[in-house]
Amino acid sequence: QAQLVESGGGLAQPGGSLRLSCKAPRMILSVFNGYTIGWYRQAPGKQRELVATITFDKSANYGDSVKGRFTISRDNSRKMASLQMNSLKPEDTAVYYCNLHRDPPPPGELPQGHWGQGTQVTVSS
């Protein structure tokens, strides 16, 4: 089972920024490069939802609620991905999960593959 290490969560004020990172230190590089990387989030009492995904060739896709505020990136040589979150809002408060998958999920479903343990992001004044 691949180990994904997430970091960068914490407390931010509305309008502030945070940067999340996801690393796969034990994964073989060629295997890592075959995955699409995604960030998903789950707020209390809500379903887990898409935040952003990025393919090996760095084609990115964003959930409607974060477009224009969040930016996903990946560094294949370092086997890591990042999520830069700007203009944070209280409704961004959630546990954020990193995911690696090969096959895109059916509409409305979550992908299979590897999941990180999650990192808490809280946006509050």
Side-chain angles (χ1 to χ4, degrees), residues 1-4 27 31 34-38 40 48 98-106 109-116:
Q1 183 74 11
Q3 179 191 28
L4 300 181
M27 189 174 288
V31 173
Y35 284 112
T36 291
I37 302 173
Y40 295 78
R48 195 171 297 189
C98 178
N99 167 270
L100 271 61
H101 62 269
R102 295 187 184 277
D103 300 319
E109 296 187 17
L110 295 174
Q112 300 296 313
H114 308 285
W115 289 91

Side-chain angles (χ1 to χ4, degrees), residues 45-67:
K46 296 187 177 181
Q47 292 186 332
R48 195 171 297 189
E49 65 174 4
L50 168 72
V51 176
T53 60
I54 187 167
T55 61
F56 166 73
D57 59 356
K58 303 185 180 179
S59 175
N61 178 58
Y62 295 91
D64 289 341
S65 62
V66 306
K67 285 180 180 177

Side-chain angles (χ1 to χ4, degrees), residues 67-86:
K67 285 180 180 177
R69 301 188 297 122
F70 291 10
T71 302
I72 190 171
S73 61
R74 66 187 287 169
D75 184 335
N76 292 328
S77 65
R78 297 175 65 189
K79 297 181 288 183
M80 67 176 291
S82 298
L83 183 69
Q84 178 66 41
M85 305 186 294
N86 298 329

Side-chain angles (χ1 to χ4, degrees), residues 11 29 39 42-43 56 75 80 96 108 114:
L11 175 65
L29 181 59
W39 285 98
Q42 188 165 17
F56 166 73
D75 184 335
M80 67 176 291
Y96 284 69
H114 308 285

